[in-house]
């Protein structure tokens, strides 16, 4: 009897065991699946009550697409990201801090930070390869921006950018002219340079001078053409008069009358 009961219980026990194992595998799968979707070297965490996503030194060449949309702090520093496309962070409406320092960023498209204006308060773009960026790339952005340690071209465009953003504390001294429209500014801090030089005003004056030179050139061409036209007509009139003088008197008077009537 006991042996028979053991035989009956064995399949039931095995069924329960297999069911438990299957549920355990499902549970593990649901836990591991999100992590498996992240790029290598990236992981989520929680720091001081804020949801953080770290991809520091993960050899990334573009902004990851599978970042949790409830992320508050995003670290993409020490990678090889070359540029920021439009809407690169549009699915991160709760982002407060964005660290893109120590990358290879040379270009930022207009609208790259679209969707971050409401909450973002810190944006680090230091130690990249930025030479020139339009102020439109930071349109409506209220975050404090770190632009230090980039090979900036000091010109009107950079001046407009600096006036359009709020610089992070103690970062302004790191915005140095790697090149400039005026050679004497190279190697100097940009804020020190614009204290004495208005790049946009210089550009406007240069543009005005160029326009004046162009207008003068066109005016000179018109005058030259008019002078040529008058002289050519005078030459033709002189030749015609000489021709009339060479004719017999009657024919000459007839030609002169015809010429006078034509003129009248």
């Amino acid at each position: 009897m006991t042996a028979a009961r053991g035989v009956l219980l064995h399949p039931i026990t095995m069924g329960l065991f297999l069911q438990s194992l299957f549920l355990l595998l499902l549970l593990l799968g649901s836990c591991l699946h999100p992590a498996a979707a992240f790029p290598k070297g990236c992981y989520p965490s929680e720091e001081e009550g804020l949801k953080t996503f770290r991809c520091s030194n993960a050899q990334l060449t573009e902004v990851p697409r599978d970042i949790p949309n409830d992320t508050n702090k995003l670290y993409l520093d020490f990678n090889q990201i070359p540029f920021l496309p439009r809407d690169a962070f549009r699915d991160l409406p709760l982002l407060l801090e964005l660290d893109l320092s120590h990358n290879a960023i040379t270009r930022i498209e207009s609208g790259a930070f679209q969707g971050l204006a409401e909450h973002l308060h810190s944006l680090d773009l230091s130690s990249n390869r930025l030479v020139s960026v339009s102020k439109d790339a930071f349109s409506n952005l209220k975050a404090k921006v770190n632009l230090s340690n980039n090979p900036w071209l000091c010109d009107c465009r950079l001046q407009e950018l600096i006036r359009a953003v709020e610089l992070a504390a103690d970062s302004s001294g790191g915005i140095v002219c790697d090149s400039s429209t005026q050679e004497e500014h190279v190697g100097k801090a940009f804020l020190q340079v614009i204290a004495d030089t208005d790049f946009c005003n210089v550009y406007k004056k240069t543009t005005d001078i160029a326009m004046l030179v162009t207008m003068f050139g066109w005016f000179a061409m018109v005058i030259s053409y008019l002078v040529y036209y008058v002289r050519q007509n005078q030459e033709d009139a002189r030749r015609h008069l000489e021709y009339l003088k060479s004719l017999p008197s009657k024919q000459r008077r007839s030609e002169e009358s015809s010429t006078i009537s034509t003129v009248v």
Side-chain angles (χ1 to χ4, degrees), residues 236-250:
D236 291 342
R238 184 184 64 78
R239 289 175 181 173
H240 188 65
L241 288 174
E242 289 179 353
Y243 168 75
L244 291 177
K245 290 178 181 180
S246 66
L247 294 174
S249 59
K250 290 184 178 180

Side-chain angles (χ1 to χ4, degrees), residues 26-44:
L26 284 178
L27 180 62
L28 288 173
S30 64
C31 293
L32 293 174
H33 178 70
F38 299 148
K40 184 179 179 181
C42 299
Y43 61 91

Side-chain angles (χ1 to χ4, degrees), residues 64-125:
R65 299 179 181 178
D66 299 315
I67 303 171
N69 57 15
D70 59 350
T71 299
N72 303 128
K73 298 170 70 175
L74 176 59
Y75 292 89
L76 299 174
D77 51 319
F78 290 95
N79 285 290
Q80 291 94 45
I81 299 173
F83 79 101
L84 301 178
R86 183 179 178 84
D87 295 326
F89 308 97
R90 68 175 181 179
D91 296 325
L92 301 173
L94 302 180
L95 199 61
L96 300 175
E97 297 182 18
L98 176 57
D99 190 347
L100 289 159
S101 63
H102 297 89
N103 272 279
I105 300 171
T106 59
R107 181 166 57 93
I108 301 176
E109 292 186 355
S110 180
F113 304 111
Q114 190 169 317
L116 301 181
E118 292 297 323
H119 298 283
L120 192 70
H121 63 71
S122 177
L123 173 59
D124 194 345
L125 287 164

Side-chain angles (χ1 to χ4, degrees), residues 18-31:
L18 290 174
Q19 186 178 6
S20 300
L21 182 61
F22 179 72
L23 291 173
L24 180 61
L25 290 174
L26 284 178
L27 180 62
L28 288 173
S30 64
C31 293

